[in-house]
Amino acid sequence: QNMSSNNDNLTHEEALSRSKQVANVRYKLHLTLEDKQPDYEGEATVSFAYKAAGGEASSSSSSLFLDFITKTIHKLTINGNEVKVDAEALKRNRVTIDSSLLNKEGSADNHVTIRYTNAYDTTGNGFHRFVDPEDGHVYIYTHFEPFYAHRLIPCFDQPDIRAPLDLTVVAPSAWAVVANSRCKEISSAAGDQKQHVFEPTPPISSYLYALVAGAFVSFEDKYKEVPMAIYCRRTLKSKMEDHVKELFTITKEGLGYYEDFFGCAYPFVKYDQLFVPEFNMGAMENPGCITFTEGYIPRETPTMMQRQRRAETVLHEMAHMWFGDLVSPVWWDGLWLNESFASVMAFFCMAAATQFAPTAWMAFHNGYKRWAYREDQLSTTHPIQGAVADTNSTFQNFDGITYGKGASVLKQLVAVLGEEGFRDGMRVYFKRHAWGNTTIQDFLKALQDGAKNASLERDDWPRLWLENAGLNTLTPEWSAENGKISSFFVHQGAPSTHPTLRPHVVHIALYDKSENGPVLRTVKRVQVTAKASTPVSELVGEAAPSFVWLAHGDHVYAKIMLDATSLEYARDNLDKFPDSFMRALLWSSMATMVRDAIVPAPQYLALVRAKIGSEKDNQLVQSIIATVQGTIANFVPDDMKQKEKELWHAECLSRLSSFRGGSASLEGTAKDEPITWIRAAAQSASNAAAIENMWALADKGTGISGVEIEQDVRWTLVRSSLAYSVAGARDRLDMEISRDSSDRGKRAAEG
């Protein structure tokens, strides 16, 4: 018996060796799943051609093995010869293959068959089993990235050994059974069971195989000739019904956009999206069988920002169907590119093809770029690209640099090549590498070839951007004579710990003042060199502006500073810029100046309280709220913290009160603003009186027609009541446990 995950690791060196030993790999898997049993039965056959170096794999480092974690192996055969399992190797989660029993003639087939019993996983990785506490129904799903496929299937568990999977599953008759491919046949099996036979998958990486089974309910639709379905557990059906139409709409818009942009039809046979319980990630890009956390099925009315965040995830996973699934990384050092590409493409898609277009790039800046800016200024920063020695190290540096900075730098790369050049490069990439594995060098070569642009190589772009850590600062300096710009420079700086200067493509905007606020006059695309100062001759002779911004459209990855004239103008007119994205960038710049101790935190917080009441873009409001919370926690002196907390809480209540008094019930997105301020008020309540006041709103009503305190906010108030020793806090906990009997409620009570 072996169920240990200790020493469950594969080194890059071992993977390189193994990929040279095998070819033409195929998997055949038969599983028997039962409703009430903690174990399942499996039989797997691994077929492959063997390519031993020098005719024989003699050293222990190059001996061939399958990765596998299991409870019991009943039988192991190699080319029909039953062999004894190497118990010591199995302790290391490996099944060794005796090369003396293998055919060694190039393309000749070898077959290793293992019959086994295994236990389900309960960590969210591998083959996870969940019992719904509300109705007792069972739900099972796989999650294999980066190195968990061998918890279900004995396999060569590394991304560059691609193989089709031929899957058959026997499961309870009442269950839905979903995998990467279409089910081609369902027949009766022993007991109250049915056998599901699936079409073989295309050759994909092992971490992308997927199986989801259980008492799911489904909703169906179609994109062109591609069948689509959405699945959730039964107790969430009524909640999901409110979101299915929007999810299918986003899916169709995304598929249409990507097919056109990539010049390549959707490469798989169906598009199922399954919302599964206790999921560790936001989502996973299993081809044709995409899994999502149930957190994307809101229990309450979601704000537009929540819906946009879900749409982003849908489109992120969809981008992976091409970039990640059709073409996969050779090894896990390519994971940053895999994820960063899907992230930035989701926003290009959202901005071009969906209802969320107006605020898409604002969401990217707030969610990805600011995260990267924070991480890149810490002592723990590191280059985007780095070696990954083994599977255990895959997620070691998976953070705001590899994810947030990676995506932001790819957006800058699009600015370098132009969107059409980038598109043409991606079309070359998919045509050249479909059903294969690639490196960052393959990616950049395809982009240069497709875009017919040699600047990446000429400017040493990959080394400067991907192999060196740190965040540059870009600052304008200009002078005027007789009302016209006489000189204009962009100065570039870098921290002494990471002094690399880089080439940047910036879009410099000049604004004039008017009675109605700032007016955008012109935008110039400028190439900033990898030097301390770049003269901008194309702006000389322009009328002197009231405000200069170096990052129009937010294509840069750099800290953008304001010259003295522009800073003074922005402080007075920040809320008057007509474009909400520009206002968001300025608010972000102000927050950066707080972090850099240029603007005192209390001064920034006072500016927020003075201006936020006039801000009508609720996504920007939510971003400012999050920044205020971080500013109070991290940058306000300790002796001023409580005062600032109370001032902010009072502002939240004031904003909330402005929605009272209307006779009509608020519907749809009209609810977003009061919901936002209710959540902010609950999070900012920092003394017993404030918390008790929030409970009064929960118990007696908000006074806003159509808007009440959500269950998740009630749990926030429970946690605050316990933390601040509010009278009756334990009673409140018991009441909410009774009120919310769902598994989410159970987790909230435990957490």
Side-chain angles (χ1 to χ4, degrees):
Q1 293 195 344
N2 174 55
M3 286 299 293
S4 171
S5 59
N6 294 334
N7 302 316
D8 190 31
N9 192 27
L10 181 72
T11 69
H12 191 195
E13 184 180 351
E14 289 172 326
L16 287 170
S17 173
R18 189 162 62 175
S19 66
K20 295 174 184 175
Q21 292 178 265
V22 297
N24 193 27
V25 178
R26 289 103 62 216
Y27 300 114
K28 187 170 186 178
L29 179 65
H30 187 288
L31 296 171
T32 300
L33 316 177
E34 296 189 23
D35 196 352
K36 305 300 181 185
Q37 295 298 318
D39 298 343
Y40 59 91
E41 303 296 320
E43 181 170 302
T45 297
V46 184
S47 302
F48 58 93
Y50 182 57
K51 307 182 296 177
E56 191 61 55
S58 56
S59 72
S60 59
S61 64
S62 62
S63 62
L64 190 60
F65 61 90
L66 294 166
D67 305 295
F68 194 33
I69 292 180
T70 190
K71 183 177 180 180
T72 305
I73 291 181
H74 301 293
K75 188 176 182 181
L76 167 64
T77 63
I78 301 175
N79 289 332
N81 301 290
E82 185 170 354
V83 298
K84 186 178 179 181
V85 176
D86 182 338
E88 288 303 311
L90 196 58
K91 288 179 182 177
R92 295 169 50 232
N93 308 318
R94 297 178 175 188
V95 176
T96 54
I97 299 172
D98 185 348
S99 60
S100 69
L101 299 175
L102 296 178
N103 297 314
K104 303 179 181 67
E105 306 198 3
S107 62
D109 265 350
N110 292 280
H111 306 284
V112 177
T113 299
I114 301 176
R115 187 164 56 82
Y116 58 95
T117 298
N118 216 344
Y120 293 103
D121 294 292
T122 56
T123 63
N125 297 322
F127 198 29
H128 182 84
R129 181 177 185 268
F130 170 85
V131 180
D132 192 328
E134 293 186 67
D135 62 10
H137 284 301
V138 173
Y139 299 89
I140 303 167
Y141 61 86
T142 55
H143 181 74
F144 290 160
E145 188 182 39
F147 188 58
Y148 301 116
H150 63 284
R151 288 177 171 270
L152 174 64
I153 312 166
C155 61
F156 303 119
D157 201 355
Q158 60 190 74
D160 63 333
I161 299 183
R162 303 174 73 99
L165 172 64
D166 188 342
L167 177 65
T168 299
V169 179
V170 175
S173 296
W175 282 14
V177 181
V178 185
N180 301 107
S181 295
R182 285 182 294 220
C183 186
K184 64 182 180 180
E185 181 186 331
I186 301 177
S187 58
S188 297
D192 188 22
Q193 302 270 98
K194 286 185 178 177
Q195 178 170 280
H196 303 252
V197 181
F198 292 88
E199 296 172 351
T201 70
I204 56 177
S205 300
S206 56
Y207 76 94
L208 296 171
Y209 298 134
L211 172 61
V212 182
F216 288 92
V217 294
S218 65
F219 307 84
E220 297 181 353
D221 204 336
K222 184 179 280 192
Y223 167 76
K224 296 181 179 178
E225 297 306 310
V226 178
M228 303 191 302
I230 291 171
Y231 292 80
C232 69
R233 55 184 160 122
R234 295 184 183 188
T235 49
L236 294 177
K237 180 183 178 184
S238 62
K239 298 293 184 187
M240 178 59 88
E241 286 170 343
D242 297 334
H243 304 285
V244 165
K245 183 179 178 181
E246 180 168 294
L247 284 166
F248 278 136
T249 297
I250 292 292
T251 304
K252 293 173 188 176
E253 290 168 340
L255 288 169
Y257 175 83
Y258 288 137
E259 285 189 331
D260 175 65
F261 195 93
F262 296 147
C264 176
Y266 173 64
F268 300 97
V269 296
K270 65 182 182 70
Y271 203 91
D272 293 337
Q273 298 175 95
L274 303 102
F275 293 77
V276 297
E278 297 185 331
F279 198 55
N280 289 338
M281 316 292 281
M284 179 62 204
E285 67 266 19
N286 317 301
C289 187
I290 302 97
T291 43
F292 294 85
T293 173
E294 290 178 339
Y296 288 122
I297 313 174
R299 298 200 288 178
E300 320 288 351
T301 303
T303 64
M304 192 74 165
M305 188 172 177
Q306 287 175 291
R307 290 163 52 207
Q308 178 170 301
R309 194 174 294 129
R310 179 177 64 192
E312 175 213 328
T313 303
V314 168
L315 297 172
H316 174 111
E317 303 310 320
M318 188 183 294
H320 276 311
M321 298 299 110
W322 287 265
F323 199 94
D325 295 2
L326 176 63
V327 184
S328 305
V330 170
W331 180 244
W332 297 112
D333 55 358
L335 184 59
W336 79 265
L337 178 60
N338 204 30
E339 295 303 328
S340 295
F341 179 90
S343 294
V344 78
M345 281 308 306
F347 285 94
F348 275 109
C349 178
M350 197 155 31
T354 76
Q355 64 175 308
F356 303 106
T359 54
W361 289 116
M362 185 196 303
F364 179 83
H365 179 90
N366 290 332
Y368 284 84
K369 194 166 284 189
R370 291 183 65 185
W371 178 29
Y373 287 162
R374 288 192 301 272
E375 298 265 340
D376 215 3
Q377 295 177 85
L378 300 176
S379 60
T380 52
T381 190
H382 55 86
I384 295 172
Q385 177 83 20
V388 175
D390 51 37
T391 53
N392 283 349
S393 304
T394 301
F395 291 123
Q396 203 168 55
N397 278 328
F398 207 57
D399 51 19
I401 302 301
T402 49
Y403 219 117
K405 183 176 179 179
S408 301
V409 167
L410 288 182
K411 189 182 180 188
Q412 166 66 188
L413 177 59
V414 176
V416 171
L417 299 175
E419 194 166 330
E420 286 189 9
F422 181 73
R423 179 202 65 195
D424 293 344
M426 291 314 305
R427 291 177 177 180
V428 168
Y429 179 78
F430 290 118
K431 187 173 182 179
R432 187 177 289 174
H433 297 294
W435 306 114
N437 296 72
T438 59
T439 64
I440 181 65
Q441 290 78 19
D442 298 321
F443 173 70
L444 294 174
K445 179 71 165 60
L447 288 181
Q448 287 199 145
D449 292 349
K452 298 179 173 59
N453 186 325
S455 66
L456 301 185
E457 203 170 310
R458 182 190 68 226
D459 295 339
D460 204 12
W461 195 95
R463 182 184 67 82
L464 294 174
W465 277 104
L466 306 181
E467 298 174 20
N468 287 275
L471 176 65
N472 296 128
T473 300
L474 299 180
T475 307
E477 182 189 3
W478 57 278
S479 57
E481 293 179 7
N482 301 319
K484 293 184 181 295
I485 295 175
S486 56
S487 68
F488 196 111
F489 294 88
V490 176
H491 300 304
Q492 181 175 182
S496 59
T497 49
H498 300 287
T500 303
L501 300 181
R502 300 174 176 87
H504 302 259
V505 168
V506 302
H507 294 77
I508 303 176
L510 304 184
Y511 283 81
D512 296 322
K513 62 183 177 182
S514 75
E515 290 183 4
N516 298 319
V519 176
L520 177 63
R521 185 208 311 165
T522 189
V523 178
K524 298 286 187 183
R525 182 184 186 274
V526 173
Q527 175 71 56
V528 174
T529 61
K531 296 178 181 178
S533 189
T534 300
V536 184
S537 59
E538 47 264 68
L539 288 177
V540 173
E542 287 276 353
S546 297
F547 179 81
V548 173
W549 182 246
L550 295 183
H552 185 78
D554 197 36
H555 301 285
V556 302
Y557 178 77
K559 192 157 43 171
I560 302 300
M561 307 306 286
L562 296 173
D563 61 83
T565 301
S566 298
L567 177 58
E568 183 180 353
Y569 185 81
R571 281 176 173 164
D572 293 339
N573 297 277
L574 192 152
D575 55 336
K576 297 185 178 69
F577 281 81
D579 178 48
S580 61
F581 188 21
M582 186 64 214
R583 296 196 301 275
L585 295 177
L586 287 174
W587 277 113
S588 178
S589 181
M590 291 291 180
T592 297
M593 286 190 278
V594 172
R595 185 206 175 278
D596 292 348
I598 297 170
V599 173
Q603 185 178 319
Y604 165 79
L605 294 170
L607 182 67
V608 170
R609 294 194 297 271
K611 301 287 189 183
I612 200 165
S614 61
E615 180 53 63
K616 299 305 179 188
D617 189 305
N618 191 54
Q619 182 172 130
L620 178 50
V621 168
Q622 291 180 66
S623 170
I624 295 169
I625 288 171
T627 304
V628 165
Q629 292 164 344
T631 300
I632 293 173
N634 298 315
F635 301 117
V636 172
D638 288 345
D639 61 348
M640 299 178 68
K641 270 193 199 308
Q642 190 58 34
K643 177 188 174 184
E644 290 293 347
K645 287 179 182 179
E646 291 172 4
L647 285 170
W648 176 240
H649 183 66
E651 181 65 26
C652 295
L653 294 177
S654 174
R655 296 288 104 239
L656 193 55
S657 68
S658 68
F659 297 98
R660 295 195 180 103
S663 57
S665 179
L666 296 180
E667 300 291 341
T669 55
K671 292 182 178 181
D672 284 11
E673 289 183 80
I675 288 172
T676 295
W677 287 112
I678 287 170
R679 293 172 182 173
Q683 290 166 348
S684 62
S686 61
N687 57 51
I691 296 164
E692 287 169 345
N693 180 51
M694 292 303 301
W695 275 120
L697 294 179
D699 294 339
K700 298 174 184 177
T702 63
I704 304 169
S705 184
V707 178
E708 297 303 330
I709 301 287
E710 305 162 308
Q711 183 59 56
D712 289 344
V713 172
R714 298 178 75 94
W715 281 116
T716 297
L717 294 177
V718 168
R719 288 190 289 272
S720 296
S721 298
L722 292 167
Y724 287 94
S725 302
V726 175
R730 287 287 167 187
D731 293 336
R732 284 288 186 185
L733 173 61
D734 293 340
M735 287 170 61
E736 295 308 315
I737 290 172
S738 299
R739 180 188 179 94
D740 184 5
S741 60
S742 69
D743 62 295
R744 294 190 200 185
K746 182 181 178 183
R747 286 196 295 274
E750 291 171 348

